[in-house]
Amino acid sequence: MTAEHAKALARLAGSSTLEEINDRAWRIRKAAPADSIAPYCEKGAHRLRFMPEGRRFADLKLLAMDMDSTLITIECIDELGDMAGCKTEIAAITAQAMRGELDYPQSLRKRVGLLKNLADTALTRVYDERLKLTPGAEALISACKKHGVKLLLVSGGFTFFTDRLKQRLGIDFTISNRSKRKTASSPAG
């Protein structure tokens, strides 16, 4: 986030008190929620969290974050679907679930069913070739560690990805789905 973006966001939040945390992060003091903030942040791919005035980052004990499209820039199951030639079908099932037409277990079973013939090597390929951390993720994790904040990574995805990110980034805890498939590189894959 640039200084200009931070100033615009401060104006939307009714504040003129802006502090630079680093070259891509800002603290806006005396900010108030407004309906225009979320669309502004979404359009610019900016991450924003409100923290009560007087609270410090070091006061946090646990940071829980989602994996897909939050800590990382992709949806792993969509990328697996792309490799299996069924990304559109998987996205359609996800959309049904988001509209409440399917519950999560149903949608997961349907999506995974489309991947049944996918080679186990596709998991490794998605991780190695397509999985990228969201800009600022490593800085956030570093700040958490510096202040003793524990990290929890949650995902509707699979342990194959969360376990690797846990090890790579030093995340304390993960919660995700376990696959029944066995792979050479991951016994719980």
Side-chain angles (χ1 to χ4, degrees), residues 55-73:
R55 298 266 332 252
R56 298 173 309 134
F57 189 82
D59 295 335
L60 299 176
K61 301 296 179 212
L62 175 72
L63 174 70
M65 64 189 121
D66 185 40
M67 182 179 73
D68 294 275
S69 297
T70 302
L71 177 64
I72 62 174
T73 60

Side-chain angles (χ1 to χ4, degrees), residues 68 76-78 80 90 93-94 96-98 102-116 155-159 176-180:
D68 294 275
C76 292
I77 200 161
D78 288 355
L80 291 167
I90 286 178
I93 294 166
T94 301
Q96 281 183 294
M98 298 300 283
L102 293 172
D103 65 19
Y104 178 75
Q106 289 173 311
S107 72
L108 183 62
R109 279 191 296 275
K110 287 180 89 167
R111 290 181 289 172
V112 169
L114 292 170
L115 303 175
K116 68 182 174 190
S155 177
F158 301 105
T159 55
S176 57
N177 292 300
R178 289 201 143 320
S179 169
K180 292 181 182 178

Side-chain angles (χ1 to χ4, degrees), residues 8-131:
L9 195 53
R11 281 191 299 278
L12 292 174
S15 175
S16 60
T17 310
L18 190 62
E19 298 173 16
E20 184 175 2
I21 296 170
N22 63 43
D23 62 336
R24 293 175 27 185
W26 302 82
R27 178 175 291 118
I28 302 169
R29 298 261 185 216
K30 300 177 184 164
D35 291 340
S36 56
I37 293 174
Y40 179 84
C41 289
E42 188 174 314
K43 181 179 176 187
H46 304 303
R47 302 282 180 196
L48 172 78
R49 294 294 174 253
F50 280 94
M51 184 174 279
E53 200 64 39
R55 298 266 332 252
R56 298 173 309 134
F57 189 82
D59 295 335
L60 299 176
K61 301 296 179 212
L62 175 72
L63 174 70
M65 64 189 121
D66 185 40
M67 182 179 73
D68 294 275
S69 297
T70 302
L71 177 64
I72 62 174
T73 60
I74 62 169
E75 294 284 332
C76 292
I77 200 161
D78 288 355
E79 298 305 315
L80 291 167
D82 186 37
M83 290 183 179
C86 59
K87 187 173 185 172
T88 303
E89 294 92 328
I90 286 178
I93 294 166
T94 301
Q96 281 183 294
M98 298 300 283
R99 291 190 303 266
E101 297 167 9
L102 293 172
D103 65 19
Y104 178 75
Q106 289 173 311
S107 72
L108 183 62
R109 279 191 296 275
K110 287 180 89 167
R111 290 181 289 172
V112 169
L114 292 170
L115 303 175
K116 68 182 174 190
N117 295 321
L118 188 63
D120 290 339
T121 56
L123 295 164
T124 302
R125 284 188 59 213
V126 167
Y127 186 84
D128 292 343
E129 299 170 14
R130 299 185 182 191
L131 188 145

